[in-house]
């Protein structure tokens, strides 16, 4: 909000953080003249010297809080509106801010530029309106005083008709012109309630003319249709008028709600004053509806009977709005996630550099975990029920743990701590678990372990104890060498909003919710979280789940888990992709490109129908949410054609409400995938509807399994190499027997490279570089596998001895 011309409104922003002051100046200095202060004391001196249009202060400041500062400012200059910034919702602080310092509004940190700018503009507008109203009131009082004199003169001049008629007519015209030109609605009435003057602004704002309301009684009847509310307003007004006449004072402004001629309601401020000895009254009305946006306040001031009658309608409307909001947010979030994860999948396929591939896999793993949490948040049925539903599905626990290590490997590397995984050899390949909930628990446990560990390692280990032929007791341990937890504090950490006593919240952060939620989730899955810890000696959190079902190898879901890893060759096929989003089409096209399918793209339903006149695809992927003609409408048109109706049609959507799948299948679609599209599901769908042949998988590319070939000089030097290799590798292998510290692994790899170069043995050099690449990419599993297979590699070298 800017002044006319070159002058800007002046803001004073107070915050003890120089970074926050800089950020505020960067964002608002173009629109306003921004003054800043690092403390309340400094700001008070500025308030004494400068003209200010609005004052903004942070609450949490040393020495003098925002509320204390505003209390001092009120003594100096109470005019400019005050806005309080706070990073938390302390009811007492906010109550003090409202009651003691009369703040205009409080804003939660971090603030949003557009929202804060709107609040600042409204605060300035309201302040300037008050200033203008005060000036107009004084001017009107002065004008009404002149009117009194003119009316007195009129009485005196009646005795001199010939001399006074012209002067009286001029005076009346002048008064009428003053009133008509006023930007504020004005009513002039006598003590009997007859309205003598109604200016044009009044007619413009409220719609009534003097013919509609010749008397105040008629005004009350039209402006206050509710009899009870009308009676209360009339009694209040009559009492204030009487007091004003008796004391010869101006009535203090009051707020009320009136109905306009068109039927809409307005919140107004009314101020009245007696203007002459004949008991005439002038009333000025300010329209505050737009400024204060009091739609809710209006409803609160209505009769309780009307509130009760409308309660059900409001509840239904709120429920519908919530449902629509969640559906919309699901679409808005999942659509860009589809591009992020889709292009990450494509990038993984295109990259040859193993380090870069591992980086991309980290993006994929983190993105999928974020997406799973988004799905949970946006599940409307869970929000409505107020509870969490456990969904069991086929889970590869090794893959799940690997996903977790992918997420935290970079933060562990930055802190120079080792992130280790260890698996029980008796662990079944697949278990029936709620993968999202297990990940949610482990994300919290591993995040805490990394956060509270400065040196050493964080180790994730799993074991399974058989309780029957079909079920196991699953243990997942997260052990760290961090700060540990005192025995007296160990029970507290599982309580809601409680953290370890003495914990540096600024250093470690956190809300005190993570462990409480994790423990409840474990309970829902027939388990619990145990804690073993000693202060300054590390902690071990144990997720213990009872009676976990072992999944059979023939489970249909396993096929989907392994989809995409199979080596197959699809027969030639035509695929139609219908989606208005270019990135979504491009992701699908790139994913399907390697199978040499003939891809057709349509940006909308009309274009798709036009294509189908000349091309008959083998399968169609149809986005449900498209402008003009959505996916349902397009599919209905396709089904009316006898030739097209038998083409498999797969619905693709970013909406995730619980009834979506049922709606899609009832519409007749052959399948349903959600955005971001999981290519494993696409792969499974393609196998169902398009003919293919299986190919023989190639041998594993690990160097330990490859046949080794050596040049003549390398063969001659092989005995010397093997002797040094066994001597130098022994201490490294001993140190890496249980854990693989990064420095030891790097030393082991460099030793292999050095010996390989010394004896011109290329396979040994390559083996060392593979270990280094796995270590740099934080690929713990590959690193462990290479170290584990080192013995086999040495045996293969020995077989080459002459």
């Amino acid at each position: 909000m800017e002044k006319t011309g070159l002058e800007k409104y002046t803001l004073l922003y107070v915050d003890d953080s120089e970074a926050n002051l800089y950020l505020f100046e960067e964002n608002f200095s173009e629109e306003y003249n921004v003054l800043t202060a690092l403390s309340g004391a400094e700001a008070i001196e500025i308030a004494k010297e400068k003209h200010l249009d609005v004052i903004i202060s942070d609450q949490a400041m040393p020495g003098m809080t925002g509320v204390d500062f505003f209390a001092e400012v009120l003594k100096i200059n109470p005019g400019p509106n005050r806005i309080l910034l706070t990073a938390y919702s302390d009811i007492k602080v906010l109550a003090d801010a409202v009651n003691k310092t009369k703040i205009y509004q409080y804003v939660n940190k971090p603030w949003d530029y557009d929202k804060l700018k709107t609040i600042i503009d409204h605060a300035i507008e309201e302040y300037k309106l008050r200033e203008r109203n005060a000036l107009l009131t004084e001017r009107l009082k002065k004008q009404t005083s002149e009117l009194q004199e003119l009316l007195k003169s009129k009485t005196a001049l009646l005795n001199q008709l010939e001399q006074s008629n012209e002067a009286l007519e001029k005076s009346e015209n002048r008064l009428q012109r003053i009133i008509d030109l006023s930007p504020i609605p004005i009513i002039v009435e006598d003590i009997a309630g007859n309205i003598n003057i109604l200016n044009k602004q009044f007619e413009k704002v409220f719609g009534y003319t003097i013919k509609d309301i010749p008397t105040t009684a008629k005004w009350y009847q039209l402006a206050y249709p509710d009899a009870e509310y009308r009676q209360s307003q009339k009694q209040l007004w009559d009492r204030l008028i009487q007091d004003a006449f008796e004391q010869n004072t101006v009535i203090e402004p009051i707020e009320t709600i009136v109905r306009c001629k068109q039927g809409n309601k307005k919140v107004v401020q009314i101020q009245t004053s007696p203007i002459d000895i004949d008991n005439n009254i002038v009333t000025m009305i300010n329209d505050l509806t737009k400024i204060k946006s009091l739609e809710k306040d209006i409803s609160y001031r209505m009769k309780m009977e009307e509130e009760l009658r409308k309660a059900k309608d409001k509840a239904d409307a709120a429920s519908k709005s919530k449902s629509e909001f969640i559906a919309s947010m699901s679409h808005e979030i999942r659509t860009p996630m589809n591009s992020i994860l889709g292009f990450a999948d494509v990038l993984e396929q295109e990259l040859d550099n193993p380090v870069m591939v591992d980086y991309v896999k980290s993006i994929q793993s983190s993105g999928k975990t974020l997406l799973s949490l988004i799905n949970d948040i946006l599940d409307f049925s869970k929000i409505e029920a107020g509870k969490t539903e456990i969904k069991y599905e086929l889970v590869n626990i090794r893959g799940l743990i690997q996903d977790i290590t992918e997420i935290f490997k970079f933060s562990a590397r930055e802190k120079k701590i080792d992130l280790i995984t260890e698996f029980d050899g008796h662990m079944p390949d697949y278990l029936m678990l709620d993968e999202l909930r297990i990940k949610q628990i482990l994300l919290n446990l591993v995040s805490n372990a990394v956060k509270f560990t400065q040196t050493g390692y964080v180790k994730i280990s799993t074991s399974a104890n058989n309780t029957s032929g079909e079920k196991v007791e699953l243990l997942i341990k997260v052990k760290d060498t961090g700060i540990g937890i005192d025995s007296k504090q160990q029970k507290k950490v599982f309580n809601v909003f409680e953290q370890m006593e003495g914990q540096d919240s600024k250093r470690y952060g956190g809300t005190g919710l993570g462990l409480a939620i994790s423990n409840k989730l474990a309970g829902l899955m027939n388990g619990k979280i145990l804690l073993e810890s000693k202060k300054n000696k590390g902690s071990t959190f144990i997720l213990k789940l009872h009676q976990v079902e072992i999944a059979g190898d023939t489970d249909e879901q396993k096929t989907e888990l392994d989809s995409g890893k199979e080596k197959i060759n699809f027969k030639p096929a035509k695929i139609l992709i219908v989606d208005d989003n270019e990135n979504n089409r491009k992701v699908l096209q790139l994913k399907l490109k390697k199978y040499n399918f003939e891809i057709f793209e349509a940006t909308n339903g009309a274009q798709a129908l036009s294509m189908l006149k000349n091309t008959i695809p083998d399968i169609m992927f149809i986005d449900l949410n498209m402008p003009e003609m959505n996916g349902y409408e397009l599919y209905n048109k396709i089904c009316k054609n006898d030739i097209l109706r038998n083409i498999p049609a797969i619905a693709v959507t970013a909406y995730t409400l619980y009834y979506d799948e049922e709606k899609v299948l009832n519409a007749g679609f052959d399948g349903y995938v959600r955005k971001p599209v999981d290519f494993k599901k696409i792969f499974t769908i393609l196998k169902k509807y398009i003919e293919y042949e299986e190919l023989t998988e190639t041998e594993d590319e690990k160097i330990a399994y490859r046949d080794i070939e050596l040049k003549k000089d390398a063969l001659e030097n092989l005995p010397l190499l093997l002797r040094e290799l066994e001597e130098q590798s022994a201490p490294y292998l001993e140190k890496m027997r249980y854990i693989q510290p990064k420095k030891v692994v790097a030393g082991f790899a460099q030793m292999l490279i050095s010996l390989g170069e010394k004896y011109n043995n290329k396979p040994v050099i390559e083996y060392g570089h593979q270990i280094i690449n796995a270590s740099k990419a934080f690929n713990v599993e590959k690193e462990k596998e290479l170290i584990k297979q080192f013995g086999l590699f040495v045996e293969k070298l020995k077989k080459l001895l002459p």
Side-chain angles (χ1 to χ4, degrees):
M1 175 180 179
E2 297 185 357
K3 292 185 178 182
T4 58
L6 299 177
E7 187 178 2
K8 298 180 180 178
Y9 288 112
T10 300
L11 313 182
L12 172 59
Y13 176 54
V14 190
D15 198 315
D16 62 321
S17 168
E18 291 186 355
N20 289 343
L21 295 178
Y22 176 78
L23 178 62
F24 186 91
E25 278 191 287
E26 283 294 302
N27 277 276
F28 292 100
S29 59
E30 289 189 9
E31 292 89 356
Y32 312 99
N33 179 26
V34 178
L35 304 178
T36 60
L38 279 166
S39 67
E42 182 184 345
I44 288 171
E45 295 303 317
I46 294 174
K48 290 178 180 178
E49 299 175 2
K50 302 288 185 179
H51 172 78
L52 304 174
D53 297 300
V54 69
I55 304 174
I56 305 169
S57 175
D58 181 36
Q59 165 60 15
M61 296 189 296
M64 182 184 295
T65 67
V67 171
D68 296 335
F69 163 63
F70 281 151
E72 293 299 318
V73 167
L74 280 174
K75 300 175 184 177
I76 301 169
N77 184 5
N81 277 322
R82 296 160 296 283
I83 299 172
L84 183 67
L85 301 181
T86 177
Y88 56 91
S89 299
D90 187 320
I91 300 301
K92 184 178 183 306
V93 170
L94 296 178
D96 288 342
V98 173
N99 297 327
K100 293 181 180 180
T101 67
K102 297 180 177 59
I103 65 167
Y104 177 79
Q105 192 164 344
Y106 75 89
V107 176
N108 285 328
K109 284 177 147 184
W111 46 263
D112 177 82
Y113 169 79
D114 292 329
K115 292 181 180 178
L116 183 56
K117 185 176 186 307
T118 300
I119 292 170
I120 292 171
D121 288 345
H122 286 177
I124 295 174
E125 184 178 0
E126 196 271 348
Y127 171 43
K128 295 306 175 183
L129 180 60
R130 281 192 279 111
E131 285 187 332
R132 289 196 297 271
N133 285 348
L135 291 173
L136 287 171
T137 300
E138 289 299 317
R139 189 184 302 168
L140 190 56
K141 285 176 64 177
K142 181 179 179 181
Q143 292 170 350
T144 52
S145 177
E146 293 177 2
L147 179 61
Q148 282 183 309
E149 294 300 322
L150 290 172
L151 291 174
K152 291 178 183 178
S153 299
K154 180 181 177 181
T155 303
L157 290 173
L158 284 174
N159 297 323
Q160 304 172 9
L161 290 176
E162 292 183 1
Q163 298 178 10
S164 65
N165 277 342
E166 184 177 349
L168 181 59
E169 184 177 352
K170 288 182 180 180
S171 297
E172 289 177 337
N173 289 339
R174 180 186 176 193
L175 174 61
Q176 186 64 50
R177 182 166 178 77
I178 290 171
I179 294 173
D180 281 340
L181 292 177
S182 171
I184 298 175
I186 296 175
I187 304 174
V188 178
E189 61 181 300
D190 59 26
I191 194 64
N194 298 308
I195 296 177
N196 300 320
I197 298 174
L198 205 63
N199 74 343
K200 293 179 180 179
Q201 187 65 15
F202 185 98
E203 295 179 14
K204 181 179 178 181
V205 172
F206 301 105
Y208 299 117
T209 66
I210 199 163
K211 291 181 180 180
D212 299 318
I213 49 172
T215 64
T216 53
K218 189 65 175 177
W219 160 251
Y220 277 114
Q221 184 179 355
L222 294 175
Y224 304 105
D226 183 270
E228 186 176 340
Y229 189 60
R230 178 171 63 244
Q231 184 64 24
S232 66
Q233 291 297 305
K234 189 174 186 309
Q235 288 176 354
L236 171 64
W237 201 248
D238 289 343
R239 178 174 57 79
L240 292 174
I241 289 289
Q242 183 177 353
D243 292 345
F245 274 111
E246 291 176 355
Q247 301 172 18
N248 194 28
T249 58
V250 177
I251 297 174
E252 286 295 321
I254 64 169
E255 288 185 13
T256 185
I257 302 168
V258 299
R259 187 179 71 174
C260 302
K261 188 174 183 178
Q262 294 78 10
N264 57 309
K265 294 176 181 176
K266 288 183 180 290
V267 178
V268 298
Q269 182 188 69
I270 301 179
Q271 189 169 19
T272 294
S273 174
I275 58 173
D276 56 28
I277 58 174
D278 295 324
N279 295 334
N280 286 315
I281 302 167
V282 62
T283 300
M284 296 157 287
I285 305 176
N286 289 323
D287 181 6
L288 305 180
T289 307
K290 291 183 179 179
I291 298 172
K292 293 193 173 182
S293 301
L294 297 176
E295 293 176 358
K296 290 184 179 179
D297 289 342
I298 292 172
S299 64
Y300 291 148
R301 298 183 190 186
M302 303 305 289
K303 290 170 40 177
M304 287 302 296
E305 291 82 359
E306 185 178 358
E307 281 292 309
L308 292 173
R309 180 173 56 81
K310 293 181 178 179
K312 186 178 182 302
D313 294 339
K314 288 183 179 180
D316 291 342
S319 178
K320 181 180 179 183
S321 297
K322 183 191 291 184
S323 178
E324 291 174 351
F325 169 77
I326 291 175
S328 176
M329 286 303 297
S330 171
H331 180 269
E332 294 302 322
I333 293 174
R334 293 174 70 85
T335 295
M337 284 296 290
N338 184 56
S339 297
I340 293 169
L341 293 180
F343 284 120
D345 288 345
V346 174
L347 191 58
E348 180 193 4
Q349 297 171 11
E350 297 293 330
L351 289 174
D352 294 324
N353 187 320
V355 177
M356 294 296 104
V357 170
D358 281 324
Y359 289 164
V360 172
K361 285 182 177 178
S362 296
I363 295 173
Q364 292 170 315
S365 178
S366 300
K368 289 174 183 177
T369 301
L370 172 62
L371 180 64
S372 297
L373 295 175
I374 290 170
N375 289 342
D376 187 45
I377 293 168
L378 297 177
D379 190 333
F380 180 70
S381 62
K382 293 176 188 175
I383 295 172
E384 289 295 287
K387 61 183 181 181
T388 301
E389 179 184 354
I390 300 300
K391 295 181 179 179
Y392 291 98
E393 58 186 347
L394 200 69
V395 175
N396 183 321
I397 199 69
R398 291 178 176 83
L400 186 148
I401 298 299
Q402 184 61 38
D403 285 346
I404 296 297
T405 58
E406 286 292 322
I407 292 170
F408 291 101
K409 66 183 182 183
F410 295 108
S411 54
R413 182 163 62 184
E414 285 176 1
K415 298 185 75 173
K416 297 182 180 179
I417 61 176
D418 293 315
L419 187 59
I420 306 165
T421 57
E422 187 176 272
F423 297 100
D424 180 2
H426 302 291
M427 177 69 67
D429 290 335
Y430 296 96
L431 298 173
M432 297 304 294
L433 297 167
D434 187 325
E435 183 173 8
L436 170 62
R437 299 306 172 192
I438 298 293
K439 277 190 175 181
Q440 191 171 348
I441 293 172
L442 292 180
L443 282 169
N444 182 263
L445 297 183
V446 179
S447 173
N448 285 344
V450 173
K451 179 168 59 175
F452 293 109
T453 301
Q454 302 305 317
T455 59
Y457 64 87
V458 172
K459 180 180 180 181
I460 310 170
S461 61
T462 62
S463 61
N465 302 320
N466 280 306
T467 56
S468 69
E470 299 179 351
K471 295 184 178 180
V472 296
E473 180 180 75
L474 177 63
L475 297 175
I476 304 178
K477 297 182 181 180
V478 179
K479 182 178 181 181
D480 65 67
T481 56
I483 63 175
I485 304 172
D486 187 85
S487 58
K488 296 179 181 179
Q489 301 291 320
Q490 290 181 15
K491 288 185 178 180
K492 281 188 175 183
V493 297
F494 290 104
N495 295 336
V496 176
F497 296 118
E498 287 201 38
Q499 297 175 316
M500 188 172 65
E501 191 173 310
Q503 177 180 317
D504 188 342
S505 59
K506 285 190 175 181
R507 180 180 179 184
Y508 295 113
T511 62
L513 278 174
L515 286 175
I517 294 173
S518 297
N519 201 30
K520 288 184 178 180
L521 289 174
L524 291 173
M525 293 184 289
N526 191 27
K528 58 184 174 181
I529 297 178
L530 305 175
L531 171 60
E532 299 171 358
S533 182
K534 289 185 179 181
K535 193 169 184 180
N536 299 321
K537 293 188 177 180
S539 304
T540 301
F541 283 87
I542 306 167
L543 172 60
K544 188 174 186 179
L545 300 179
H546 305 286
Q547 300 294 304
V548 177
E549 184 180 347
I550 300 173
D553 291 340
T554 58
D555 194 299
E556 185 178 337
Q557 285 178 291
K558 182 179 175 182
T559 302
E560 186 172 308
L561 284 173
D562 294 332
S563 294
K565 298 178 183 178
E566 303 172 66
K567 300 292 184 179
I568 69 170
N569 185 24
F570 284 106
K571 292 189 176 181
K574 297 177 181 178
I575 298 178
L576 174 62
I577 302 171
V578 188
D579 198 316
D580 62 306
N581 187 295
E582 182 181 359
N583 282 337
N584 292 341
R585 297 195 309 274
K586 190 172 184 180
V587 165
L588 263 180
Q589 183 193 40
L590 289 172
K591 285 181 176 180
L592 298 172
K593 185 172 110 177
K594 68 176 182 178
Y595 297 109
N596 296 318
F597 291 129
E598 189 175 358
I599 308 296
F600 298 89
E601 295 183 38
T603 60
N604 54 56
Q607 188 179 2
L609 291 173
S610 178
M611 283 185 176
L612 289 170
K613 291 179 181 179
N614 303 313
T615 303
I616 305 299
D618 294 285
I619 190 170
M620 300 178 289
F621 291 93
I622 301 174
D623 182 43
L624 295 180
N625 185 41
M626 295 185 293
E628 297 180 12
M629 183 189 300
N630 62 40
Y632 292 106
E633 294 168 338
L634 171 60
Y635 186 64
N636 285 335
K637 292 182 181 293
I638 289 173
C639 288
K640 292 177 181 179
N641 186 301
D642 292 335
I643 298 176
L644 301 177
R645 67 192 308 173
N646 295 320
I647 300 173
I650 309 302
V652 184
T653 182
Y655 289 101
T656 59
L657 295 182
Y658 65 92
Y659 50 76
D660 281 338
E661 185 171 357
E662 182 180 353
K663 182 179 177 183
V664 167
L665 297 178
N666 288 339
F669 283 94
D670 298 281
Y672 175 79
V673 291
R674 292 174 177 170
K675 296 177 184 176
V677 173
D678 186 345
F679 192 64
K680 289 183 291 186
K681 293 183 179 179
I682 296 289
F683 188 85
T684 302
I685 290 170
L686 292 174
K687 286 179 61 180
K688 184 176 180 180
Y689 293 108
I690 297 178
E691 293 184 21
Y692 64 92
E693 58 182 1
E694 294 186 7
L695 302 176
T696 304
E697 268 194 281
T698 59
E699 194 73 18
D700 194 295
E701 292 297 322
K702 290 189 179 72
I703 192 168
Y705 295 105
R706 268 201 337 241
D707 291 333
I708 299 176
E709 295 182 2
L710 296 177
K711 293 181 179 180
K712 183 179 178 180
D713 59 339
L715 277 171
E716 292 174 353
N717 293 326
L718 187 57
L720 296 174
L721 168 70
L722 287 171
R723 187 171 64 248
E724 287 196 44
L725 195 60
E726 289 184 354
E727 290 175 356
Q728 294 189 33
S729 65
Y732 286 108
L733 294 174
E734 179 64 26
K735 291 179 182 179
M736 296 186 295
R737 180 182 297 182
Y738 301 108
I739 61 175
Q740 288 77 40
K742 289 296 176 187
K743 290 182 179 179
V744 177
V745 172
F748 177 64
Q750 191 56 51
M751 179 270 295
L752 292 176
I753 294 171
S754 298
L755 286 178
E757 292 174 345
K758 179 178 179 181
Y759 293 106
N760 196 24
N761 194 305
K762 188 175 180 182
V764 175
I765 296 172
E766 289 178 357
Y767 206 102
H769 280 298
Q770 280 205 12
I771 295 174
I772 285 178
N773 288 338
S775 180
K776 284 182 178 180
F778 232 82
N779 191 334
V780 179
E781 287 302 311
K782 186 175 180 181
E783 180 184 287
K784 289 177 66 176
E785 182 66 18
L786 287 167
I787 294 170
K788 181 181 176 182
Q789 296 297 329
F790 179 69
L792 175 61
F793 175 67
V794 172
E795 289 300 318
K796 286 202 171 193
L797 287 174
K798 288 180 178 179
K799 290 180 181 180
L800 298 177
L801 287 169

